[in-house]
């Protein structure tokens, strides 16, 4: 059994009852999709958690972030399911480090390398004494005496403490980032050396659009306006999928970037979007 005092997947897909809501949430405009994997006693089996993760993978609406405030003994099945979700859906997963003052690398899912594992700090920016710790922890967030919405009724609040309070702060920040950055470029940063002649880069929308998205790219220029690089295409359209039966990866475009001779350094590409989908329309982003 995986003991759990909170578990939830968050568009945020969310495994927790804590740290969200219009009054106290970090990202107050998100759409929450609760996925129940706990029984009424607050415990879950590895099977129920894996089934919940599989449901998220099949039904996810991008852009999304998955939140898991759950702690249990190290479990290879749970870890593998989380890793598959991250790898297949390319979705960020934020998890609580756990509340037993042990190495987070000894528990699931905090030990998964592909997730963001969040430990808790108390007042004075010191580690909350019961927070798990260790090399699997990616960051700390406030987790002591946090005023939060609770499920007693629609307006109930309570001060709560633990890594299940800390992790939702980070999940909310990730949701805000995704809202403001609808385009991703892989690799995230392109550092060019003098000997490099070309690179393959991929531009991908953060979610499936409801209408075609026209993308116009701008390449970096020198002080005199001379282009420092060329791209295989500067204008193209990304189309929505007609397959609505299951989660489908957002559309992407693979491009070739060719630096100008002897122009080493970090390259920034500007993407201007236009679409009948208001989420993408009139968006201008600098990709590096």
């Amino acid at each position: 059994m995986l003991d759990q005092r909170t578990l939830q997947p968050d568009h945020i897909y969310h495994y927790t009852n804590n740290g969200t809501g219009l009054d106290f949430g970090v990202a107050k405009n998100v759409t929450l999709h609760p996925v129940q994997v706990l029984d009424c006693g607050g415990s879950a089996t590895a099977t129920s958690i894996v089934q919940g993760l599989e449901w998220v993978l099949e039904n996810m609406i991008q852009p999304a972030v998955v939140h898991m405030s759950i702690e249990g003994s190290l479990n290879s099945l749970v870890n593998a399911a989380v890793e598959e979700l991250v790898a297949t859906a390319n979705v960020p997963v934020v998890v609580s480090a756990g509340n037993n003052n042990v190495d987070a690398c000894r528990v699931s899912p905090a030990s998964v390398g592909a997730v963001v594992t969040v430990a808790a700090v108390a007042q004075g920016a010191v580690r909350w004494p019961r927070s798990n710790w260790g090399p699997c922890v990616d960051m700390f967030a406030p987790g002591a005496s946090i005023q939060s919405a609770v499920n007693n009724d629609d307006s109930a609040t309570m001060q709560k403490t633990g890594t299940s309070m800390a992790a939702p702060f980070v999940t909310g920040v990730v949701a805000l980032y995704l809202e403001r950055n609808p385009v991703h470029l892989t690799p995230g940063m392109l550092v060019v050396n003098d000997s490099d002649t070309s690179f393959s880069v991929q531009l991908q929308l953060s979610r499936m659009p409801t209408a075609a998205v026209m993308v116009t790219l701008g390449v970096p220029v020198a002080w005199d306006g001379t282009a420092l690089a060329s791209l295989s295409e500067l204008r193209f359209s990304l189309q929505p999928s007609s397959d609505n039966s299951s989660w489908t990866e957002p559309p992407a475009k693979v491009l070739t970037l060719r630096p100008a001779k002897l122009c080493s350094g970090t390259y920034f590409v500007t993407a201007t979007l236009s679409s009948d989908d208001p989420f993408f329309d009139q968006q201008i982003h600098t990709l590096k």
Side-chain angles (χ1 to χ4, degrees):
M1 299 289 290
L2 290 174
D3 293 330
Q4 167 64 20
R5 295 168 178 81
T6 53
L7 176 69
Q8 201 180 119
D10 261 14
H11 241 98
I12 300 172
Y13 286 89
H14 192 78
Y15 298 121
T16 179
N17 298 325
N18 298 345
T20 62
L22 296 177
D23 292 327
F24 302 103
V26 173
K28 295 180 174 60
N29 293 323
V30 301
T31 301
L32 295 179
H33 301 269
V35 180
Q36 182 176 348
V37 299
L38 304 177
D39 61 23
C40 294
S43 296
T45 64
T47 298
S48 67
I49 295 172
V50 170
Q51 290 174 337
L53 291 166
E54 290 174 344
W55 186 93
V56 171
L57 182 59
E58 290 297 320
N59 295 278
M60 183 183 304
I61 303 171
Q62 293 276 24
V65 53
V66 175
H67 178 90
M68 299 181 69
S69 282
I70 184 170
E71 176 189 11
S73 57
L74 193 64
N75 188 288
S76 60
L77 292 177
V78 171
N79 283 13
V82 174
E83 289 169 347
E84 181 181 2
L85 176 62
V86 173
T88 303
N90 192 29
V91 63
V93 176
V94 179
V95 307
S96 58
N99 303 331
N100 285 294
N101 190 26
V102 299
D103 187 344
C105 295
R106 295 169 49 191
V107 301
S108 290
S111 54
V112 176
V115 306
V116 179
T117 298
V118 185
V121 292
Q123 291 183 352
V126 296
R127 183 178 67 89
W128 177 57
R130 286 178 53 192
S131 174
N132 290 352
W133 41 266
C136 288
V137 170
D138 295 293
M139 63 183 65
F140 287 80
S145 300
I146 306 299
Q147 191 74 11
S148 174
V150 293
N151 61 356
N152 296 350
D153 58 55
D154 290 344
S155 60
T157 63
M158 183 182 297
Q159 285 196 348
K160 306 193 78 172
T161 296
T163 59
S164 290
M165 300 308 301
F169 278 105
V170 177
T171 301
V173 171
V174 173
L176 292 176
Y177 174 84
L178 292 173
E179 179 184 38
R180 289 161 172 76
N181 294 272
V183 181
H184 306 299
L185 190 69
T186 304
M189 177 176 289
L190 191 61
V191 179
V192 178
N193 298 314
D194 292 346
S195 59
D196 296 321
T197 58
S198 66
F199 293 87
S200 179
V201 296
Q202 175 176 276
L203 183 146
Q204 184 170 38
L205 301 182
S206 63
R207 75 175 192 188
M208 182 63 66
T210 59
V213 178
M214 181 61 65
V215 181
T216 303
L217 299 178
V219 296
V221 296
W223 63 272
D224 60 356
T226 302
L228 298 180
S230 63
L231 285 165
S232 53
E233 291 185 59
L234 291 177
R235 185 173 171 85
F236 53 86
S237 178
L238 296 174
Q239 300 292 328
S241 173
S242 59
D243 179 13
N244 297 317
S245 60
S246 62
W247 181 85
T248 304
E249 187 173 1
K253 181 78 171 181
V254 177
L255 304 163
T256 300
L257 183 145
R258 294 182 175 85
K261 187 176 181 181
L262 299 181
C263 290
S264 60
T266 302
Y267 279 67
F268 298 83
V269 175
T270 301
T272 302
L273 312 182
S274 61
S275 176
D276 288 337
D277 183 338
F279 181 78
F280 294 103
D281 190 41
Q282 302 302 314
Q283 296 280 352
I284 301 176
H285 291 274
T286 299
L287 311 170
K288 63 177 182 177

